[in-house]
Amino acid sequence: MRRTHGSARVLFSAALMASLVGAVAPTAAAEPRACAWTPAILPLPAGALTGDVAAADGSGGYAGTISYGANSAQGGRAVLWKNGEFTDYGNLDDPEYQNWVNVAGVNDAGTVVGAAYREADGLPGAVRSRNGKLERLPELPDAYASTAEGVNDHGDIVGAVGTADGDALYWHPVIWPADKPGTVVELTGSPDTEAIATGIDQDGTVLVEADFDGNRVPYLWKNGEARQLPLPDGAYDVITRGISNGRVIGQVSYDSGDDGRSVLWDRDGQPRVVERGEDVRGINRDGQIVGRTDDPSWHEFGVWQLTTPGSTLSYAPDRGLELTVSSDDGTIAGQSWKIPGGRDEPTVWTCR
C-alpha cells in the first residue's frame, strides 16, 4: 500500500466506547542510513500553479495533485510522474462534482485512487484512474458519500462508504476487490461501530480505524476477521497513518501528558514510540518512516529506521518543505516552496 494522509480525513460520528490498553514495548531497530538528501522538483505542465506528491508506487513513480487555481476550469487534477513521463488523469468528468480531486494512493500499475467532491454539499465520492481518466467507484445501497484511501499492487482498493444516520453520515469500511471489478464489499467481522479502512498491505491485510464514541482505535482486518492493535498505556485515540509489510504507524493521544505521539506497531503487533516523532506520515516496506520531528519550530522533518531517528531535513532561509511519503525504493517525497511567498512544488529527495 502506498498512502499518505495528504488525503481527506473522513470524520466519524459517535458510537460505543471500547478500547484495549497495552504497554509500549522496547525496540531494536536497524541503524538508519547516513544520508545527504538531494531534492529534485518534479515538472509541472504549463499553467499549473502548484503541486504535491501524495503517494509513491515504490519504483520511481509518484502520484499527487496539481492545481491551476481555484477559479480555473481545470481546478485540481490527479497526476502521475513516472520514468520521465507525466500522466494527467484530470478531475472527475461529472457536472455534479467540483473540478478538484484528492489523491490518496497509487500502485505499481499506476492506478491512482482518492476522492472527488460534490458541488452541492462538498461530500466525497471515491474515484480511481482507468484508461487515462478518473471514474467513480461503486457505493453501497443508500450511500450518500464514499472515499478511497489506499490501493495495493494486486489492485484491491479500500476506503469507506457513508450512509445516512439522522442528519449525519455513518461510515462503513469497504473494499473494492480487484478480482470482482465493479463491486464494493463491506468488511464483515470488523467492529460493530462506525469505521473506515485507511490502508491495505500487499498481502491483503486492511488497516481499519474504528470509532468508539469519538475515540479512534486501530484494527487489522483479513479474510473476514479483525483484531485490535493494543494501545500504549494511557492512550485513547489513534489516527492511523500507514501500513506496509506488516507494520503500522499512527498518531496517538493520551489521557495526560505526551508519552510519544508517533507510534509504530511492528510485526509482533506491539506499540513502540517513534523517538522524537511528532507527526509521522509515511512508512515503506523496509520500515523507513518520514514525518515531522518534535522540534518546536515545526520546521524540521525526520527520516527514521523503524523507531530510531536518522537524518533530518529542515527549512532553509530560502525554502520550506513538507515530507509525507516514504517510497519502497528508499526515496522520500512531499512538497517544497520558495521563501517568501512561493507556491508548493512536488518534490522528491534521494539519499546520496
Side-chain angles (χ1 to χ4, degrees):
M1 188 302 294
R2 331 283 195 229
R3 174 182 175 272
T4 70
H5 276 267
S7 62
R9 169 62 55 185
V10 176
L11 299 178
F12 295 116
S13 59
L16 295 177
M17 171 68 177
S19 65
L20 298 177
V21 176
V24 176
T27 185
E31 286 298 316
R33 294 181 298 168
C35 282
W37 291 101
T38 303
I41 296 172
L42 299 176
L44 295 176
L49 301 180
T50 66
D52 65 69
V53 176
D57 70 2
S59 57
Y62 305 92
T65 303
I66 62 170
S67 173
Y68 288 84
N71 297 322
S72 168
Q74 298 190 73
R77 303 168 71 87
V79 299
L80 178 70
W81 295 269
K82 177 81 173 185
N83 297 331
E85 297 183 356
F86 175 80
T87 303
D88 183 352
Y89 293 112
N91 41 51
L92 192 62
D93 186 17
D94 187 328
E96 293 188 10
Y97 283 79
Q98 303 170 20
N99 58 348
W100 188 271
V101 63
N102 197 72
V103 170
V106 64
N107 67 7
D108 64 353
T111 300
V112 173
V113 302
Y117 298 91
R118 207 151 51 221
E119 188 72 45
D121 52 22
L123 291 175
V127 298
R128 59 159 286 170
S129 64
R130 185 174 181 177
N131 297 327
K133 62 181 182 179
L134 295 181
E135 65 178 16
R136 284 288 311 281
L137 287 166
E139 297 178 341
L140 297 173
D142 302 321
Y144 283 84
S146 59
T147 180
E149 294 288 317
V151 59
N152 65 9
D153 289 345
H154 182 64
D156 299 316
I157 301 169
V158 296
V161 168
T163 58
D165 182 19
D167 294 331
L169 285 174
Y170 187 94
W171 292 97
H172 307 260
V174 298
I175 185 168
W176 290 272
D179 57 1
K180 296 179 181 178
T183 65
V184 58
V185 179
E186 187 169 1
L187 300 185
T188 59
S190 59
D192 186 20
T193 185
E194 189 173 25
I196 176 176
T198 60
I200 183 167
D201 216 338
Q202 299 297 1
D203 68 352
T205 301
V206 180
L207 179 60
V208 175
E209 230 179 60
D211 187 88
F212 296 94
D213 210 16
N215 297 329
R216 291 159 291 190
V217 178
Y219 283 76
L220 295 180
W221 179 96
K222 191 175 183 182
N223 298 328
E225 296 184 358
R227 63 180 176 90
Q228 183 186 322
L229 291 174
L231 303 187
D233 290 336
Y236 67 88
D237 183 58
V238 176
I239 302 173
T240 56
R241 294 297 200 197
I243 181 171
S244 185
N245 199 13
R247 301 182 177 101
V248 172
I249 54 172
Q251 292 307 107
V252 175
S253 297
Y254 296 86
D255 291 321
S256 62
D258 189 347
D259 301 317
R261 284 178 43 78
S262 295
V263 171
L264 165 74
W265 286 266
D266 211 335
R267 292 174 183 152
D268 60 3
Q270 294 304 305
R272 294 165 168 85
V273 169
V274 178
E275 185 181 345
R276 293 201 62 217
E278 175 64 21
D279 188 7
V280 293
R281 290 300 185 96
I283 183 171
N284 74 1
R285 66 188 174 197
D286 297 321
Q288 177 182 275
I289 296 171
V290 299
R292 195 185 302 272
T293 75
D294 60 1
D295 185 271
S297 72
W298 278 52
H299 290 172
E300 183 181 83
F301 290 80
V303 183
W304 291 261
Q305 180 58 39
L306 301 180
T307 59
T308 303
S311 47
T312 58
L313 296 83
S314 299
Y315 281 32
D318 62 344
R319 197 157 193 91
L321 69 131
E322 183 173 8
L323 298 180
T324 54
V325 176
S326 181
S327 177
D328 284 350
D329 61 12
T331 60
I332 57 179
Q335 60 252 27
S336 63
W337 56 90
K338 294 179 181 178
I339 297 175
R343 293 168 172 161
D344 289 350
E345 297 176 285
T347 308
V348 174
W349 287 262
T350 303
C351 178
R352 302 296 187 189

